Amino acid sequence: MRIPALLAPLALLLAACSVTPPAAAPVADTARFNADRKAILAMAGEFKVAFQFDEDVPLKAGYKPHEPHRSGAFEFVEVLEDSSTRIVLQHVLVIGDDVIKHWRQDWQYQRTRLWAYTGDDTWARRDLGAAEAAGTWTQAVWQVDDSPRYAGIGRWTHEGGVSSWTSEVEWRPLPRRELTTRNDYDKLTGSNRQTITPTGWVHEQDNLKIDRKAAGGEQVLTHERGLNTYTRISDYDFSKGRQYWQETRDYWAVVRQAWDDRFARHDRLVIHAAQGEERLYQSMFEQAEALSNQKMAAAEMRSWIDRVLDRFVEPSQLAARTP
């Protein structure tokens, strides 16, 4: 249930992207490693984005597919970090005067530790053996408040001049677009494919929506096909988004460190998207705006951030389950 591989390669980033990996991450094929890096870095830039999600195959008797989801926006993708074997890309949406710090994707070569969603708002540490991680790139996807969404491993291919990466199947929580509108399923399983095209790139999703608490046992409701298209542009005014990111980037850097510290201290975390009427992402956005207007040292900013995270994040003693 995937679109055909798209034709012809994008003229990717230039020779400056060619990096020999350090001794800590040896590879047998340096040319392939550099091709992988170029493909990842090609997802940075300015784009017109179309988001499409279709429940195309009902898998439970009597299930009626929901209406297709269609939306669009303009988005720039900035490289936050490029340290050879690790590349961090931050997405920022711009629609007129409205700016939204969007998702983030972290790419890491031969990563042996990541976080996996295990259901019930819980993320557990997952360790990979060196042989399993060899030659792979892990894509970790983070939500608008920098909380985890999913992470999976896969390998880039460059066959026929087309660069494409496909993940394993991962568990995921409900997407934010359905978190407050649906209660008939509580787990999403899916895989991603990201393909570089002559005009930008595409992000395909191959998902199953699952009711884990159904009478009689777990029930798959439907298959969902996602297709997000990023078309490179040069004639849209991203100045509002650039200004927002310039004003808040220091705040979000401290937020990322606060999350990293929690992951380092615990094997499992329960992350609540909401506590009563308060939502984590709204609290973080409001705080980003408030604190970014002040001259504040990182340590003081961190104390404010921890107060928010402490209300939504807690260690868990639940047994870890591998998706």
Short mmCIF file of all heavy atoms in Angstrom, two decimals, residues 14-64:
data_model
loop_
_atom_site.label_atom_id
_atom_site.label_comp_id
_atom_site.label_asym_id
_atom_site.label_seq_id
_atom_site.Cartn_x
_atom_site.Cartn_y
_atom_site.Cartn_z
N LEU A 14 25.89 19.64 -1.83
CA LEU A 14 27.14 19.62 -2.55
C LEU A 14 28.23 18.87 -1.82
O LEU A 14 28.03 18.25 -0.79
CB LEU A 14 27.56 21.08 -2.80
CG LEU A 14 26.48 21.89 -3.54
CD1 LEU A 14 26.91 23.34 -3.67
CD2 LEU A 14 26.21 21.29 -4.89
N ALA A 15 29.44 18.93 -2.38
CA ALA A 15 30.53 18.12 -1.86
C ALA A 15 30.82 18.40 -0.39
O ALA A 15 31.39 17.57 0.30
CB ALA A 15 31.80 18.38 -2.67
N ALA A 16 30.37 19.54 0.12
CA ALA A 16 30.59 19.86 1.53
C ALA A 16 29.90 18.86 2.45
O ALA A 16 30.26 18.72 3.61
CB ALA A 16 30.09 21.27 1.85
N CYS A 17 28.89 18.15 1.93
CA CYS A 17 28.18 17.18 2.75
C CYS A 17 28.96 15.88 2.88
O CYS A 17 28.58 15.02 3.68
CB CYS A 17 26.81 16.87 2.12
SG CYS A 17 25.73 18.30 2.01
N SER A 18 30.01 15.69 2.12
CA SER A 18 30.76 14.45 2.16
C SER A 18 31.67 14.45 3.38
O SER A 18 32.56 15.27 3.51
CB SER A 18 31.60 14.32 0.88
OG SER A 18 32.35 13.14 0.89
N VAL A 19 31.37 13.50 4.28
CA VAL A 19 32.10 13.44 5.54
C VAL A 19 32.55 12.01 5.77
O VAL A 19 31.76 11.08 5.65
CB VAL A 19 31.22 13.89 6.72
CG1 VAL A 19 31.96 13.74 8.03
CG2 VAL A 19 30.76 15.33 6.51
N THR A 20 33.81 11.83 6.09
CA THR A 20 34.28 10.51 6.47
C THR A 20 33.91 10.26 7.92
O THR A 20 34.21 11.06 8.79
CB THR A 20 35.81 10.43 6.32
OG1 THR A 20 36.13 10.70 4.96
CG2 THR A 20 36.31 9.05 6.71
N PRO A 21 33.20 9.16 8.21
CA PRO A 21 32.74 8.93 9.58
C PRO A 21 33.91 8.71 10.52
O PRO A 21 34.96 8.21 10.12
CB PRO A 21 31.90 7.65 9.45
CG PRO A 21 32.40 6.98 8.22
CD PRO A 21 32.82 8.08 7.30
N PRO A 22 33.76 9.10 11.78
CA PRO A 22 34.85 8.94 12.74
C PRO A 22 35.05 7.49 13.11
O PRO A 22 34.22 6.63 12.85
CB PRO A 22 34.35 9.75 13.95
CG PRO A 22 32.86 9.68 13.84
CD PRO A 22 32.56 9.70 12.37
N ALA A 23 36.17 7.21 13.77
CA ALA A 23 36.50 5.84 14.14
C ALA A 23 35.45 5.22 15.04
O ALA A 23 35.28 4.01 15.07
CB ALA A 23 37.86 5.81 14.81
N ALA A 24 34.72 6.07 15.80
CA ALA A 24 33.71 5.55 16.72
C ALA A 24 32.54 4.91 15.99
O ALA A 24 31.78 4.16 16.58
CB ALA A 24 33.19 6.67 17.61
N ALA A 25 32.38 5.19 14.71
CA ALA A 25 31.27 4.62 13.95
C ALA A 25 31.80 4.11 12.61
O ALA A 25 31.51 4.67 11.57
CB ALA A 25 30.18 5.66 13.73
N PRO A 26 32.61 3.06 12.62
CA PRO A 26 33.23 2.58 11.39
C PRO A 26 32.20 2.02 10.42
O PRO A 26 31.20 1.43 10.81
CB PRO A 26 34.18 1.47 11.88
CG PRO A 26 33.56 1.01 13.17
CD PRO A 26 32.95 2.23 13.78
N VAL A 27 32.43 2.23 9.14
CA VAL A 27 31.56 1.68 8.12
C VAL A 27 32.43 1.05 7.04
O VAL A 27 33.56 1.45 6.81
CB VAL A 27 30.67 2.77 7.48
CG1 VAL A 27 29.69 3.32 8.48
CG2 VAL A 27 31.50 3.88 6.88
N ALA A 28 31.86 0.04 6.41
CA ALA A 28 32.61 -0.64 5.37
C ALA A 28 32.59 0.14 4.07
O ALA A 28 33.49 -0.01 3.24
CB ALA A 28 32.02 -2.04 5.16
N ASP A 29 31.56 0.98 3.87
CA ASP A 29 31.37 1.66 2.59
C ASP A 29 31.19 3.15 2.86
O ASP A 29 30.09 3.62 3.12
CB ASP A 29 30.15 1.07 1.89
CG ASP A 29 29.99 1.59 0.47
OD1 ASP A 29 30.58 2.63 0.14
OD2 ASP A 29 29.26 0.95 -0.30
N THR A 30 32.29 3.90 2.78
CA THR A 30 32.22 5.34 3.05
C THR A 30 31.37 6.06 2.02
O THR A 30 30.64 7.00 2.36
CB THR A 30 33.64 5.94 3.08
OG1 THR A 30 34.39 5.30 4.11
CG2 THR A 30 33.59 7.43 3.34
N ALA A 31 31.42 5.63 0.76
CA ALA A 31 30.62 6.28 -0.27
C ALA A 31 29.13 6.15 0.03
O ALA A 31 28.36 7.10 -0.13
CB ALA A 31 30.94 5.67 -1.64
N ARG A 32 28.71 4.99 0.51
CA ARG A 32 27.30 4.80 0.85
C ARG A 32 26.92 5.66 2.06
O ARG A 32 25.85 6.27 2.08
CB ARG A 32 27.04 3.33 1.16
CG ARG A 32 25.59 3.01 1.47
CD ARG A 32 25.45 1.57 1.94
NE ARG A 32 24.05 1.24 2.15
CZ ARG A 32 23.26 0.68 1.26
NH1 ARG A 32 23.74 0.36 0.06
NH2 ARG A 32 22.00 0.41 1.55
N PHE A 33 27.80 5.73 3.04
CA PHE A 33 27.57 6.57 4.21
C PHE A 33 27.37 8.02 3.80
O PHE A 33 26.44 8.70 4.27
CB PHE A 33 28.76 6.43 5.17
CG PHE A 33 28.72 7.36 6.35
CD1 PHE A 33 27.97 7.05 7.48
CD2 PHE A 33 29.45 8.54 6.35
CE1 PHE A 33 27.95 7.90 8.58
CE2 PHE A 33 29.43 9.39 7.44
CZ PHE A 33 28.68 9.07 8.56
N ASN A 34 28.20 8.51 2.91
CA ASN A 34 28.06 9.90 2.45
C ASN A 34 26.79 10.10 1.64
O ASN A 34 26.15 11.15 1.72
CB ASN A 34 29.28 10.29 1.63
CG ASN A 34 30.51 10.53 2.50
OD1 ASN A 34 30.40 10.96 3.64
ND2 ASN A 34 31.69 10.24 1.97
N ALA A 35 26.38 9.10 0.87
CA ALA A 35 25.12 9.20 0.13
C ALA A 35 23.94 9.25 1.09
O ALA A 35 22.97 9.99 0.88
CB ALA A 35 24.98 8.02 -0.83
N ASP A 36 24.01 8.46 2.17
CA ASP A 36 22.96 8.52 3.19
C ASP A 36 22.86 9.93 3.78
O ASP A 36 21.77 10.49 3.94
CB ASP A 36 23.27 7.54 4.32
CG ASP A 36 23.24 6.08 3.89
OD1 ASP A 36 22.80 5.78 2.78
OD2 ASP A 36 23.67 5.23 4.71
N ARG A 37 24.00 10.49 4.14
CA ARG A 37 24.02 11.83 4.73
C ARG A 37 23.43 12.87 3.78
O ARG A 37 22.68 13.75 4.20
CB ARG A 37 25.45 12.22 5.11
CG ARG A 37 25.96 11.61 6.41
CD ARG A 37 27.40 12.05 6.71
NE ARG A 37 27.65 13.43 6.32
CZ ARG A 37 27.29 14.49 7.04
NH1 ARG A 37 26.67 14.33 8.19
NH2 ARG A 37 27.55 15.71 6.60
N LYS A 38 23.79 12.80 2.53
CA LYS A 38 23.26 13.76 1.56
C LYS A 38 21.74 13.67 1.48
O LYS A 38 21.05 14.70 1.38
CB LYS A 38 23.87 13.50 0.18
CG LYS A 38 25.29 13.98 0.02
CD LYS A 38 25.74 13.80 -1.42
CE LYS A 38 27.15 14.32 -1.64
NZ LYS A 38 27.57 14.19 -3.06
N ALA A 39 21.22 12.46 1.52
CA ALA A 39 19.76 12.29 1.44
C ALA A 39 19.09 12.92 2.66
O ALA A 39 18.06 13.61 2.53
CB ALA A 39 19.42 10.81 1.34
N ILE A 40 19.64 12.71 3.84
CA ILE A 40 19.05 13.29 5.05
C ILE A 40 19.11 14.81 5.00
O ILE A 40 18.12 15.50 5.27
CB ILE A 40 19.78 12.75 6.30
CG1 ILE A 40 19.57 11.24 6.43
CG2 ILE A 40 19.29 13.47 7.56
CD1 ILE A 40 20.48 10.57 7.45
N LEU A 41 20.26 15.35 4.62
CA LEU A 41 20.41 16.81 4.57
C LEU A 41 19.55 17.43 3.47
O LEU A 41 19.22 18.63 3.55
CB LEU A 41 21.87 17.17 4.38
CG LEU A 41 22.76 16.90 5.61
CD1 LEU A 41 24.23 16.99 5.24
CD2 LEU A 41 22.43 17.87 6.74
N ALA A 42 19.17 16.66 2.46
CA ALA A 42 18.32 17.18 1.39
C ALA A 42 16.91 17.48 1.88
O ALA A 42 16.13 18.13 1.17
CB ALA A 42 18.26 16.18 0.24
N MET A 43 16.55 17.01 3.08
CA MET A 43 15.22 17.31 3.62
C MET A 43 15.17 18.69 4.29
O MET A 43 14.11 19.12 4.74
CB MET A 43 14.80 16.22 4.61
CG MET A 43 14.47 14.91 3.92
SD MET A 43 13.80 13.64 5.02
CE MET A 43 15.32 13.01 5.75
N ALA A 44 16.30 19.38 4.38
CA ALA A 44 16.32 20.74 4.91
C ALA A 44 15.99 21.73 3.80
O ALA A 44 16.23 21.48 2.62
CB ALA A 44 17.69 21.06 5.50
N GLY A 45 15.41 22.86 4.18
CA GLY A 45 15.08 23.90 3.21
C GLY A 45 13.69 24.47 3.44
O GLY A 45 13.12 24.33 4.53
N GLU A 46 13.13 25.10 2.41
CA GLU A 46 11.82 25.74 2.49
C GLU A 46 10.86 25.02 1.55
O GLU A 46 11.19 24.78 0.38
CB GLU A 46 11.93 27.22 2.11
CG GLU A 46 12.84 28.00 3.07
CD GLU A 46 12.94 29.48 2.72
OE1 GLU A 46 12.52 29.86 1.60
OE2 GLU A 46 13.43 30.26 3.56
N PHE A 47 9.65 24.71 2.07
CA PHE A 47 8.75 23.83 1.34
C PHE A 47 7.30 24.27 1.45
O PHE A 47 6.88 24.88 2.45
CB PHE A 47 8.85 22.40 1.90
CG PHE A 47 10.23 21.81 1.87
CD1 PHE A 47 11.06 21.92 2.99
CD2 PHE A 47 10.71 21.17 0.74
CE1 PHE A 47 12.33 21.38 2.97
CE2 PHE A 47 11.98 20.63 0.72
CZ PHE A 47 12.79 20.74 1.83
N LYS A 48 6.54 23.92 0.43
CA LYS A 48 5.08 23.87 0.53
C LYS A 48 4.73 22.42 0.83
O LYS A 48 5.19 21.51 0.16
CB LYS A 48 4.42 24.31 -0.79
CG LYS A 48 2.90 24.31 -0.73
CD LYS A 48 2.30 24.82 -2.04
CE LYS A 48 0.79 24.85 -1.96
NZ LYS A 48 0.18 25.35 -3.24
N VAL A 49 3.89 22.22 1.86
CA VAL A 49 3.63 20.87 2.35
C VAL A 49 2.15 20.54 2.23
O VAL A 49 1.29 21.37 2.53
CB VAL A 49 4.06 20.72 3.83
CG1 VAL A 49 4.02 19.27 4.25
CG2 VAL A 49 5.46 21.29 4.04
N ALA A 50 1.87 19.33 1.76
CA ALA A 50 0.50 18.80 1.71
C ALA A 50 0.44 17.54 2.56
O ALA A 50 1.26 16.63 2.39
CB ALA A 50 0.10 18.49 0.28
N PHE A 51 -0.51 17.51 3.51
CA PHE A 51 -0.68 16.36 4.40
C PHE A 51 -1.94 15.61 4.00
O PHE A 51 -3.02 16.20 3.91
CB PHE A 51 -0.80 16.81 5.86
CG PHE A 51 0.36 17.63 6.35
CD1 PHE A 51 0.26 19.01 6.51
CD2 PHE A 51 1.57 17.02 6.67
CE1 PHE A 51 1.32 19.76 6.97
CE2 PHE A 51 2.65 17.76 7.13
CZ PHE A 51 2.52 19.14 7.28
N GLN A 52 -1.82 14.29 3.76
CA GLN A 52 -2.96 13.49 3.34
C GLN A 52 -2.97 12.18 4.13
O GLN A 52 -1.95 11.48 4.19
CB GLN A 52 -2.88 13.15 1.86
CG GLN A 52 -2.79 14.34 0.93
CD GLN A 52 -2.65 13.92 -0.52
OE1 GLN A 52 -3.16 12.87 -0.93
NE2 GLN A 52 -1.96 14.71 -1.30
N PHE A 53 -4.12 11.86 4.75
CA PHE A 53 -4.28 10.59 5.45
C PHE A 53 -5.62 9.98 5.05
O PHE A 53 -6.66 10.65 5.13
CB PHE A 53 -4.21 10.79 6.96
CG PHE A 53 -2.85 11.19 7.45
CD1 PHE A 53 -2.50 12.53 7.58
CD2 PHE A 53 -1.90 10.22 7.77
CE1 PHE A 53 -1.24 12.91 8.02
CE2 PHE A 53 -0.63 10.59 8.20
CZ PHE A 53 -0.31 11.93 8.33
N ASP A 54 -5.60 8.73 4.63
CA ASP A 54 -6.80 8.05 4.16
C ASP A 54 -6.93 6.69 4.83
O ASP A 54 -5.99 5.87 4.77
CB ASP A 54 -6.74 7.84 2.64
CG ASP A 54 -6.77 9.14 1.87
OD1 ASP A 54 -7.87 9.63 1.58
OD2 ASP A 54 -5.68 9.67 1.56
N GLU A 55 -8.07 6.44 5.46
CA GLU A 55 -8.39 5.10 5.94
C GLU A 55 -8.92 4.32 4.74
O GLU A 55 -10.09 4.40 4.39
CB GLU A 55 -9.40 5.18 7.07
CG GLU A 55 -8.86 5.86 8.32
CD GLU A 55 -9.80 5.80 9.51
OE1 GLU A 55 -10.96 5.37 9.33
OE2 GLU A 55 -9.39 6.18 10.62
N ASP A 56 -8.05 3.54 4.12
CA ASP A 56 -8.39 2.97 2.81
C ASP A 56 -8.84 1.51 2.86
O ASP A 56 -9.44 1.03 1.89
CB ASP A 56 -7.21 3.12 1.84
CG ASP A 56 -5.91 2.55 2.38
OD1 ASP A 56 -5.88 2.10 3.54
OD2 ASP A 56 -4.91 2.55 1.63
N VAL A 57 -8.57 0.79 3.95
CA VAL A 57 -8.97 -0.62 4.04
C VAL A 57 -9.56 -0.91 5.41
O VAL A 57 -8.82 -1.09 6.39
CB VAL A 57 -7.77 -1.57 3.79
CG1 VAL A 57 -8.24 -3.02 3.82
CG2 VAL A 57 -7.08 -1.26 2.47
N PRO A 58 -10.90 -0.95 5.55
CA PRO A 58 -11.49 -1.34 6.83
C PRO A 58 -11.15 -2.80 7.14
O PRO A 58 -11.21 -3.67 6.26
CB PRO A 58 -13.00 -1.17 6.60
CG PRO A 58 -13.11 -0.30 5.38
CD PRO A 58 -11.91 -0.59 4.55
N LEU A 59 -10.79 -3.09 8.40
CA LEU A 59 -10.36 -4.44 8.77
C LEU A 59 -11.19 -5.03 9.91
O LEU A 59 -10.91 -6.14 10.36
CB LEU A 59 -8.88 -4.42 9.15
CG LEU A 59 -7.94 -4.06 7.98
CD1 LEU A 59 -6.52 -3.82 8.49
CD2 LEU A 59 -7.94 -5.16 6.93
N LYS A 60 -12.19 -4.30 10.37
CA LYS A 60 -13.13 -4.81 11.37
C LYS A 60 -14.53 -4.79 10.76
O LYS A 60 -14.92 -3.80 10.12
CB LYS A 60 -13.10 -3.93 12.62
CG LYS A 60 -14.11 -4.34 13.70
CD LYS A 60 -14.12 -3.35 14.86
CE LYS A 60 -15.18 -3.74 15.87
NZ LYS A 60 -15.27 -2.76 16.99
N ALA A 61 -15.27 -5.85 10.95
CA ALA A 61 -16.62 -5.93 10.39
C ALA A 61 -17.46 -4.76 10.89
O ALA A 61 -17.50 -4.47 12.09
CB ALA A 61 -17.28 -7.26 10.80
N GLY A 62 -18.10 -4.08 9.95
CA GLY A 62 -18.97 -2.97 10.29
C GLY A 62 -18.27 -1.64 10.49
O GLY A 62 -18.93 -0.63 10.74
N TYR A 63 -16.94 -1.62 10.41
CA TYR A 63 -16.22 -0.36 10.62
C TYR A 63 -16.43 0.58 9.44
O TYR A 63 -16.28 0.18 8.28
CB TYR A 63 -14.72 -0.63 10.81
CG TYR A 63 -13.91 0.64 11.03
CD1 TYR A 63 -13.83 1.22 12.29
CD2 TYR A 63 -13.26 1.27 9.96
CE1 TYR A 63 -13.10 2.37 12.50
CE2 TYR A 63 -12.53 2.43 10.17
CZ TYR A 63 -12.46 2.98 11.43
OH TYR A 63 -11.75 4.14 11.64
N LYS A 64 -16.76 1.82 9.73
CA LYS A 64 -16.93 2.83 8.70
C LYS A 64 -15.73 3.77 8.69
O LYS A 64 -15.47 4.45 9.68
CB LYS A 64 -18.21 3.64 8.95
CG LYS A 64 -18.49 4.69 7.88
CD LYS A 64 -19.77 5.44 8.18
CE LYS A 64 -20.03 6.51 7.11
NZ LYS A 64 -21.28 7.28 7.39
#
